[in-house]
């Protein structure tokens, strides 16, 4: 089978298209013909070996796919512990879900990892209550574009999104953000970013921030929190570890910093079922609109990662393993 493989860590240049033996399913697993493979920002960390879990070489990147069982069966969307960038993949039965009629591969891929992340950020980690204000960092991205919509759907009083260009800020507002902020304000001084977030919230501190950048964006977001506010951190896009938060800085405003990584839900499949059983029907009935950012042939995987790293994309990126 054709697959993307890396044998050394680095940037997009380390990904090669190779021919490999088909993977063999184990107990509780099936072999699938992959029709579409999802691309996530976490994949760029994986090939660098700069993410939360150490990687072992050689490896096939990719944590999600849409496909059908070899030998026939319904189309499913599933999560993987790597191996998605290939013509065939092995998945656990408990980590696959039927794709409803009328939901495209791209839409299903948008919700299986990024949508489930957005669902758990708001429900499990932040415990969003009706009327609370929510800041979504990178509100035009894969997770952010869905988090903006879910926050509005679940009754957030005000949704504020950050995005790095006028076009992305316009998209975030189209998806439901009441206001948008340029994250570049945090580049020189996080206090400028804090002020912009509070101004976007009518001059008041905010209740929830979903943060995936780190560095000054993290610092500015934390300072923008109201008493009993929650900052949920789920990424390190700036490739910059945030300095430790002193306990006193949390106690002064009764603030909380919460970490989230969807990988921990994979060992608790019911947590994923809760998200997917709500998200897929919402896509099917049109109440949730995944943003599709582009479909690349498998042979253009390096270009897909380059576009993602350069912030040239919005929404969900997918690979076509047949090309």
């Amino acid at each position: 089978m054709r697959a993307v493989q890396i044998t050394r860590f680095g940037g997009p240049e380390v990904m090669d298209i190779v021919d490999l033996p088909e993977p063999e399913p184990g107990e509780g697993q099936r072999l699938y013909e992959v029709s579409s493979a999802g691309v996530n920002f976490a994949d760029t960390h994986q090939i660098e070996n700069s993410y939360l879990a150490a990687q072992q070489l050689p490896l096939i990147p990719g944590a999600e796919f849409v496909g059908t069982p070899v030998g026939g069966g319904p189309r499913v969307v599933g999560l993987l512990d790597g191996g998605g960038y290939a013509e065939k993949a092995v998945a656990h039965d408990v980590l696959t879900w039927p794709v409803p009629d009328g939901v495209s591969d791209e839409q299903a891929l948008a919700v299986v990892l990024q949508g489930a992340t957005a669902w758990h950020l708001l429900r499990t980690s932040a415990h969003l209550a009706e009327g609370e204000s929510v800041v979504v960092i990178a509100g035009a991205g894969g997770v952010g574009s869905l988090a903006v919509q879910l926050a509005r759907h679940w009754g957030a009083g005000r949704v504020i999104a950050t995005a790095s260009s006028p076009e992305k800020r316009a998209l975030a507002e189209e998806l439901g953000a009441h206001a948008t902020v340029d994250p570049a304000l945090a580049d020189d001084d996080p206090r400028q970013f804090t002020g912009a977030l509070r101004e976007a919230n009518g001059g008041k501190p905010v209740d929830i921030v979903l943060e995936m950048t780190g560095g000054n964006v993290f610092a500015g977001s934390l300072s923008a929190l109201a008493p009993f506010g929650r900052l949920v951190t789920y990424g390190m896009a700036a490739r910059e570890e945030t300095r430790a938060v002193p306990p006193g800085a949390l106690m002064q405003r009764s603030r909380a910093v919460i970490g989230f990584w969807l990988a921990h839900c994979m060992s608790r499949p019911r947590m994923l079922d809760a998200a997917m059983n709500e998200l897929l029907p919402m896509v099917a009935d049109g109440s949730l609109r995944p943003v599709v950012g582009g479909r690349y042939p498998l042979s253009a995987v390096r270009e897909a990662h380059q576009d993602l790293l350069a912030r040239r994309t919005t929404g969900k990126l997918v690979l076509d393993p047949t090309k």
Side-chain angles (χ1 to χ4, degrees), residues 300-316:
V301 63
R302 294 181 181 181
E303 179 184 345
H305 274 234
Q306 288 164 353
D307 289 346
L308 190 60
L309 289 166
R311 300 184 181 181
R312 289 191 288 264
T313 67
T314 55
K316 188 64 192 175

Side-chain angles (χ1 to χ4, degrees), residues 78-304:
L79 287 173
L80 304 164
D81 186 18
Y85 291 10
E87 290 181 318
K88 294 181 180 178
V90 164
H92 288 276
D93 292 340
V94 295
L95 295 178
T96 62
W97 299 269
V99 179
D101 292 340
V103 175
S104 69
D105 283 10
E106 289 85 352
Q107 290 174 321
L109 285 168
V111 298
V112 70
L113 192 153
Q114 293 166 325
T117 294
W119 192 98
H120 279 290
L121 290 174
L122 290 166
R123 281 263 171 95
T124 305
S125 296
H127 296 286
L128 169 66
E130 188 172 350
E132 290 189 309
S133 55
V134 178
V135 174
V136 179
I137 305 299
V143 174
S145 61
L146 295 165
V148 165
Q149 295 176 71
L150 290 173
R152 283 295 301 265
H153 183 76
W154 292 333
R158 189 162 180 82
V159 179
I160 301 154
T162 75
S164 58
S165 71
E167 294 78 15
K168 290 183 178 182
R169 291 192 286 275
L171 174 60
E173 291 178 4
E174 180 186 341
L175 294 173
H178 296 94
T180 54
V181 171
D182 187 346
L185 291 170
D187 290 349
D188 296 325
D189 187 344
R191 290 174 295 184
Q192 289 186 329
F193 188 57
T194 298
L197 293 180
R198 291 187 175 187
E199 182 180 352
N201 196 38
K204 299 181 294 184
V206 300
D207 297 308
I208 294 169
V209 180
L210 308 183
E211 203 283 314
M212 44 69 69
T213 302
N216 281 356
V217 172
F218 178 97
S221 298
L222 181 62
S223 295
L225 286 180
F228 299 104
R230 291 88 73 201
L231 185 154
V232 187
T233 178
Y234 68 100
M236 298 176 290
R239 263 68 175 177
E240 182 180 346
E241 191 67 76
T242 303
R243 290 181 297 176
V245 179
L250 302 179
M251 294 169 60
Q252 284 172 351
R253 287 186 176 271
S254 296
R255 296 176 290 193
V257 176
I258 305 155
F260 179 80
W261 189 20
L262 190 71
H264 292 124
C265 295
M266 293 178 71
S267 62
R268 303 181 183 187
R270 289 184 180 178
M271 294 183 70
L272 292 169
D273 288 342
M276 295 302 291
N277 291 340
E278 183 170 4
L279 293 171
L280 285 170
M282 288 178 68
V283 176
D285 68 20
S287 58
L288 183 65
R289 173 190 157 196
V291 177
V292 177
R295 186 176 182 88
Y296 297 74
L298 191 70
S299 56
V301 63
R302 294 181 181 181
E303 179 184 345

